[in-house]
Amino acid sequence: MLFQNEQWQNDIDLVLPVFEELSSESGSSFFITGSCGLIGTAVVHALLRFNDKYKTNFRVIATGRTKKSLDERFSDCKDRKDLILSLFDAERPAIDPSVKIDYIIHAASNASPKAIIENPVETLTGNIVGLSYLLAYAKENAVKRVLFVSSSEVYGRKDRTTPSQETEYGTIDPLNPRNAYSYGKCAAETLCVSFLHEYDVDSVIVRPGHIFGPTCSEKDVRVSSAWAYDCASRKDIVMKSAGSQIRSYCYCLDCASAILKVLVKGEKGQAYNISNRDSIMSIRKLAEIMTTHAGVKLVTDIPSEEEAKAFNPMENSSLDSTKLENLGWEGVFDAASGVSHTIDILREVSVLE
């Protein structure tokens, strides 16, 4: 029962002022793909809580691949009149033409490293096919703006040790199927600006770093999610690398506030990094923060060949958030507070359920 969790609602309330300008869009409808995901759920909850606090009468259309996943994810708020649960599959997209949509937030994507390795074709096409449909829909139905949730992986490998700005790209190996995710995101971004150039479809792009939070699924094998569940269960966590890779970590509600800030204030055709400058650190440092809060041990192990294939090849995927901050965005949660709240909330929610 995440939405009703007291700590979670307090956390949402802290980020609402960050995108307060959204109140000018009172009465608007928001179509959100990937709503059952780590980022999508945070966005849905933020909009619903915004309605509660600002009386904006937003209509939130939360979509997912199956009715079961939607019902389970939103079991504690599915009876709200401002929330509509709807099926949407990015690989076989379709929207009821009678539905009125003002804003589209496309957060549906296969992001699990294991699934990317097992299904690189679906990973690549899912990003392109779903977005192409949504942009064409926006063109024909006077949607005000499409926001595409991309990834820090569009930057590829780089020699720099400084956080990447939005125009600084490295290299991506096109013959590595693990890069189906990276190239899918790159192609989708180009699709956004192509629809803008040719058809004047308004879109903006966000590039989140490594997002964590209690909206993660227990089936999510990404280390920040898997470790959070281990810590919540008071299990030691296992790190299968030296942990030296540098990442831009960001609590999911800071990510949601950034998305909604860009939706209302971002410049069309532009991309914005989502990174909390207080949470840029090594994977090992994140693990140490988690184990310290949970009172468990950090154990190192050697990855299997299959596990190693799924690793993000970027040694330093830190992001420069200056462009986003210039819109007036600021992260509320540093790594320590975000991690502690994640673990504590997961413990409480698992007891309630």
Side-chain angles (χ1 to χ4, degrees), residues 11 15 33 70 114 122 182 210 241-242 284 286 296 325 338 342:
D11 285 357
V15 303
T33 71
L70 286 166
K114 183 175 183 292
E122 290 77 11
S182 306
H210 285 65
S241 72
R284 173 173 284 276
L286 176 73
V296 299
E325 291 166 357
T342 296

Side-chain angles (χ1 to χ4, degrees), residues 269-303:
Q270 292 295 304
Y272 296 83
N273 290 335
I274 298 180
S275 171
N276 188 331
R277 59 177 66 244
D278 294 326
S279 300
I280 295 176
M281 62 186 66
S282 68
I283 294 175
R284 173 173 284 276
K285 179 62 177 176
L286 176 73
E288 291 171 348
I289 292 173
M290 285 185 159
T291 53
T292 297
H293 179 75
V296 299
K297 295 179 182 179
L298 171 59
V299 180
T300 57
D301 194 8
I302 298 173

